[in-house]
Amino acid sequence: MEEMIEVQGPSAVAGALPVYGAKNSVLKLMAATLLAVGRSTITNVPEIHDVTVMAELLRRLGCDVSYRPAEHEVSIDVPEELGHQADYDLVRAMRASISVLGPLMARCHRAEVALPGGDAIGTRGLDMHRAGLEAMGAQLSIERGFLRASADGGLGGATYRLGYPSVGATENLMTAATTARGVTVLENVAREPEIVDIGRMLREMGARIEGLGTTTLTIHGVPRLSPVTHRTVADRIVAGTWAFAAAVTGGRVEIQGAEPEHLSVVLDKLRCAGCEIDTREGRFVVQGPERPRAINVSTLPYPGFPTDLQPFVVALNAVAEGSGIITENVFEARWGFTAELERLGARVRLDGHHARVDGVPAHELSGAPVEAMDIRAGAALVIAGMAAQGVTEVSGVEHIDRGYEHFVDHLANAGVRVQRRIARGWS
Ligand code: UD1
């Protein structure tokens, strides 16, 4: 039976909200444990559906995985003999499955990973994952929907310059290079906090990586890595989501377990919108204004404004004073959810990778049934529903569950009139 999230607006957020480890880090940390035979443990693991998908993928590769959601911990026992195939059902359910490619190439010297196809936020190329591995001596081909890669005799160090600082390609190439013969230099790499986190774990496992957090990584291959216990970096996108919840609804939140230094551009923009923000180590407080001012935002690779927070800017501008232009530079097709926001009364005009949003007073938005099509858009629709008058019913809850731990419970604990319930069908 389909579930939905029902929010009764207007309903401001007021209270404390927790942040656990980053989805975009933990999935790759789990994949990277494949690099070392033995039991690795990852802590600060969020209780989200994608972790169960990655656990299943690792099990199918031969690992013994124990996921203890209540303890925010996952242990992975990696065998000597690993499988090397990631099937379509899992890759389709979770695109981050592609992140086993680098570890499998390092461990097995071959990998077969189903191609993910497109998703709700656009086509996502793999050309740099492929070209980087080819530079390291791998042969790649596409057969029957799988990307097949092999490197008889193992990968060798190479210099490869990414055409764009792709998060996924940087991670796959960095992990693949850890045990390659010789030195690998990766230029124009991504430097998101999640990449630094993965690089740190690899170092704790014995990898020799220099330049983490900069645009060039130098990796000296080592013969083997050892298992590790590692704490996942805080989820800056969840922290940002809670901050926008306060900004859009004129609420006040204390965000706990976060690393506000990973959000400096975002917090600057929220201050421009009229928020008061008090940052302390490990937590920060956001007080939203009575009515936000519209902001202009361009999404960019880190340290720029994250594309994953773009839908929240649209929601903020929808109720803001004035008009704001949002430019999406990372996933140009990431606008599907704006038609859902228009159902609440938002005024959005799209022009290629730009969106112009003309704000209206929040009481002019009225609740409606809307559909979440991806993780962040779903969360942004719930927040817009908190600002609108009346009931907003958000379907497609499974998308939100992929990336947010107990999203509804946390908001309800912070005073929001929100609940999950079974959708009413036709009778
Ligand atoms: C990751 C995050 C996602 C975030 C994104 C950008 C995970 C699970 N997902 O996605 O939440 O929105 O970073 O911060 O960590 N591209 C190519 N060729 C390639 C690789 C990428 O053309 O070989 C393009 C993609 O189509 C996209 C852009 O580069 O337009 C960014 O992709 P990338 O940085 O790789 O994002 P992901 O790793 O897919």
Side-chain angles (χ1 to χ4, degrees):
M1 268 186 289
E2 198 196 334
E3 273 194 287
M4 64 163 58
I5 294 175
E6 183 183 88
V7 50
Q8 169 80 51
S11 186
V13 62
L17 288 165
V19 176
Y20 294 100
K23 170 181 98 66
N24 288 351
S25 190
V26 75
L27 302 173
K28 328 302 177 61
L29 296 173
M30 289 173 73
T33 63
L34 292 171
L35 288 164
V37 176
R39 182 167 291 275
S40 288
T41 300
I42 298 169
T43 63
N44 201 28
V45 173
E47 192 178 346
I48 55 174
H49 186 65
D50 275 8
V51 169
T52 60
V53 179
M54 183 55 86
E56 175 59 21
L57 173 50
L58 297 181
R59 281 189 195 106
R60 285 201 208 165
L61 293 171
C63 301
D64 181 12
V65 184
S66 131
Y67 174 31
R68 291 176 294 282
E71 286 145 55
H72 293 99
E73 204 172 282
V74 61
S75 295
I76 299 152
D77 202 348
V78 179
E80 193 82 44
E81 287 295 312
L82 268 184
H84 62 275
Q85 184 167 315
D87 294 323
Y88 183 47
D89 60 330
L90 294 178
V91 180
R92 192 166 54 165
M94 185 187 69
R95 206 180 180 285
S97 304
I98 192 78
S99 56
V100 297
L101 178 62
L104 287 179
M105 286 305 289
R107 267 297 304 284
C108 310
H109 307 163
R110 62 182 179 148
E112 294 180 13
V113 181
L115 287 172
D119 66 13
I121 64 175
T123 55
R124 304 210 219 173
L126 291 176
D127 49 304
M128 289 177 266
H129 301 244
R130 297 180 60 174
L133 287 174
E134 273 166 357
M136 294 165 74
Q139 273 99 46
L140 288 104
S141 61
I142 291 173
E143 282 166 52
R144 300 168 60 86
F146 280 85
L147 177 65
R148 289 178 200 267
S150 62
D152 296 339
L155 295 169
T159 295
Y160 177 69
R161 184 178 177 78
L162 283 76
Y164 174 91
S166 151
V167 170
T170 300
E171 290 160 352
N172 262 329
L173 299 178
M174 174 171 70
T175 49
T178 53
T179 58
R181 282 183 315 280
V183 181
T184 302
V185 180
L186 300 173
E187 296 171 348
N188 195 29
V189 293
R191 46 199 171 124
E192 270 65 3
E194 296 77 28
I195 288 172
V196 174
D197 192 30
I198 297 154
R200 283 197 180 134
M201 185 179 94
L202 294 172
R203 276 192 191 158
E204 290 154 14
M205 295 171 85
R208 288 181 55 205
I209 303 174
E210 291 155 22
L212 279 176
T214 74
T215 55
T216 301
L217 293 173
T218 304
I219 301 152
H220 297 260
V222 296
R224 72 187 58 77
L225 301 182
S226 320
V228 72
T229 295
H230 179 86
R231 182 181 167 83
T232 315
V233 71
D235 197 319
R236 64 197 162 98
I237 306 300
V238 171
T241 300
W242 300 147
F244 272 94
V248 174
T249 64
R252 180 185 179 84
V253 284
E254 176 173 326
I255 299 164
Q256 299 171 334
E259 298 190 34
E261 60 278 17
H262 293 158
L263 281 166
S264 40
V265 170
V266 175
L267 299 187
D268 285 348
K269 284 290 177 186
L270 285 172
R271 286 190 186 98
C272 291
C275 293
E276 281 172 32
I277 300 171
D278 180 16
T279 58
R280 315 261 164 89
E281 205 179 316
R283 67 193 174 93
F284 62 108
V285 176
V286 180
Q287 169 69 60
E290 207 161 300
R291 184 175 180 197
R293 289 188 292 273
I295 50 176
N296 297 327
V297 162
S298 290
T299 66
L300 284 171
Y302 191 83
F305 194 97
T307 172
D308 286 350
L309 291 177
Q310 176 261 97
F312 304 96
V313 182
V314 179
L316 178 118
N317 282 348
V319 297
E321 183 112 51
S323 303
I325 308 276
I326 302 150
T327 304
E328 176 53 65
N329 293 308
V330 181
F331 294 110
E332 296 196 357
R334 195 170 198 164
W335 297 123
F337 71 100
T338 59
E340 302 297 306
L341 267 184
E342 285 179 278
R343 290 178 49 74
L344 303 183
R347 296 197 194 148
V348 185
R349 265 186 294 161
L350 299 178
D351 181 5
H353 65 133
H354 304 287
R356 176 189 161 124
V357 185
D358 297 316
V360 298
H363 61 80
E364 288 182 20
L365 295 187
S366 61
V370 289
E371 191 180 344
M373 289 175 237
D374 74 75
I375 306 174
R376 312 303 169 188
L381 286 169
V382 174
I383 289 173
M386 285 157 57
Q389 294 283 324
V391 174
T392 294
E393 295 170 330
V394 181
S395 57
V397 175
E398 65 281 5
H399 293 292
I400 297 175
D401 291 339
R402 287 189 46 210
Y404 289 92
E405 165 168 337
H406 301 304
F407 185 68
V408 165
D409 295 344
H410 289 320
L411 285 175
N413 286 342
V416 178
R417 288 192 297 272
V418 62
Q419 59 173 341
R420 281 175 88 115
R421 62 169 185 74
I422 303 297
R424 274 189 298 268
W426 296 101
S427 54

